[in-house]
Amino acid sequence: MELTQVSYFINLAQTLNFTAAARLSGVSQPSLTRAIRRLEEELGGPLIHRDGKNSRLTGLGQDVEAEFRRMAVAMKSVRNHSENWAMGGRRVVDVAVAPTVGPKGFKAFFESALAEMPSIEFRLHALQSNEDTSEVLSGKYQACIMPRETRPDRKLDVQALFRERFVLGCSANHPLAANEIVRSEDLLEFPFVDRLKCEFRDQILDHFARRDLLRQPVFRSDREEWVQQVVADGDAICILPERSATARGLVTRPIEGLLVEREVVIATVSGSTAPVEIRKIAQLAAQYAWD
């Protein structure tokens, strides 16, 4: 498989027209057609149903397009980094952060890392729902900050940053905010907001279901900022990691008997092949006083 085939197929998937895809690719239509046929032979099946104006991607073609687009993003990132390096510019370190990981404590960490390595620049991205540490191995990101994944990978260097409990989130003016520790049964009195992106959602719901304390949510969202703002602005409550509360007016309280917690880690490529800056960042993260 050649990189030109990747770009040819992305253009074909976009246009669903061989002539238009060839024009976008800067090659003749027969050349593009031959390249796509070779790609289909290599991958073992048709990538596009050829039906004139009604051409469409096959199931294999749809899967291949998704993977090829990820490859194209990774290659663009590699080219940007190599250009910066060749021109003596600042090295950009792309860091993806899981949407459920709050920013508390990270500003100070990044400042300390920049003090050690002033020639780098951090560029933060939101880790998408369909992404995981494989994006580090692909080169799309140089590091991921996220809850620890259950499957180990010897190609990754995974450094633990901190552990955090899941706690009650409520408004600072909420009746439960007056308690140092909240009883589980007291939560039944208030509307519940469901955090759909929570990695430990099932364990938390099971905890309350076993105690017959599970309520129907009044609001569900996969947007963390929306959940927190709804809770901070009214009498609703949610369950969230204790470091993740960012909305103004939102406070957290421990819940009696709720023992669910998570470990937040930073994952980078392991071994001597990783750039020295990435290895240094992982080392600094492991040594940093997160608590």
Side-chain angles (χ1 to χ4, degrees):
M1 184 185 305
E2 301 173 359
L3 291 178
T4 52
Q5 290 174 299
V6 173
S7 62
Y8 291 175
F9 182 71
I10 289 175
N11 289 335
L12 179 61
Q14 176 183 333
T15 61
L16 296 177
N17 181 284
F18 282 83
T19 302
R23 189 181 304 115
L24 282 176
S25 303
V27 297
S28 67
Q29 187 263 326
S31 295
L32 183 133
T33 300
R34 286 194 296 271
I36 297 300
R37 289 193 186 280
R38 289 198 305 271
L39 187 60
E40 289 177 322
E41 292 172 1
E42 184 175 350
L43 296 178
L47 300 175
I48 185 169
H49 291 295
R50 294 162 171 83
D51 189 15
K53 293 183 179 180
N54 296 318
S55 295
R56 63 194 184 280
L57 296 181
T58 65
L60 175 61
Q62 293 174 14
D63 291 341
V64 168
E65 180 193 10
E67 293 302 320
F68 277 9
R69 288 192 181 278
R70 291 168 61 176
M71 290 172 61
V73 170
M75 287 304 301
K76 182 177 179 181
S77 176
V78 169
R79 282 193 290 268
N80 288 340
H81 287 304
S82 63
E83 289 171 2
N84 284 339
W85 187 272
M87 297 174 64
R90 296 166 67 86
R91 179 174 178 83
V92 177
V93 178
D94 290 292
V95 181
V97 184
T100 61
V101 176
K104 184 178 180 181
F106 284 98
K107 176 178 179 293
F109 166 69
F110 287 129
E111 286 179 345
S112 67
L114 289 171
E116 293 274 346
M117 298 178 291
S119 62
I120 69 170
E121 171 188 328
F122 286 109
R123 185 161 54 193
L124 300 183
H125 307 265
L127 190 67
Q128 302 302 311
S129 58
N130 62 335
E131 296 180 329
D132 53 23
T133 49
S134 62
E135 310 301 334
V136 174
L137 297 176
S138 74
K140 182 176 182 180
Y141 308 124
Q142 282 71 59
C144 280
I145 296 173
M146 60 193 298
R148 182 183 290 274
E149 293 181 338
T150 54
R151 67 182 195 282
D153 192 323
R154 59 183 179 81
K155 297 179 181 178
L156 292 171
D157 180 18
V158 180
Q159 296 288 346
L161 304 183
F162 53 81
R163 300 189 72 86
E164 58 181 342
R165 302 170 296 174
F166 281 81
V167 295
L168 169 74
C170 64
S171 165
N173 300 320
H174 197 282
L176 295 179
N179 302 332
E180 291 187 7
I181 300 179
V182 177
R183 299 185 308 165
S184 294
E185 52 268 32
D186 292 338
L187 306 184
L188 285 174
E189 301 177 28
F190 304 98
F192 175 64
V193 178
D194 193 1
R195 299 171 55 248
L196 295 178
K197 281 288 182 68
C198 178
E199 300 90 353
F200 290 79
R201 180 173 177 268
D202 289 343
Q203 293 94 312
I204 292 170
L205 296 181
D206 286 348
H207 168 86
F208 291 108
R210 287 195 300 270
R211 291 160 176 78
D212 198 25
L213 299 174
L214 191 62
R215 290 197 55 183
Q216 183 70 19
V218 296
F219 183 79
R220 303 175 191 265
S221 179
D222 58 5
R223 295 276 299 272
E224 282 290 304
E225 71 275 24
W226 280 64
V227 169
Q228 294 195 23
Q229 201 61 56
V230 167
V231 172
D233 287 346
D235 62 349
I237 59 174
C238 68
I239 311 298
L240 78 170
E242 59 188 327
R243 288 174 174 258
S244 293
T246 57
R248 184 183 298 275
L250 182 68
V251 298
T252 60
R253 297 292 183 267
I255 301 173
E256 187 177 60
L258 181 62
L259 303 179
V260 181
E261 64 176 16
R262 71 177 184 179
E263 186 176 43
V264 174
V265 302
I266 183 169
T268 58
V269 174
S270 65
S272 58
T273 57
V276 63
E277 296 90 350
I278 304 304
R279 299 201 301 271
K280 181 66 173 178
I281 290 169
Q283 179 186 8
L284 291 173
Q287 297 172 349
Y288 188 75
W290 291 96
D291 296 326

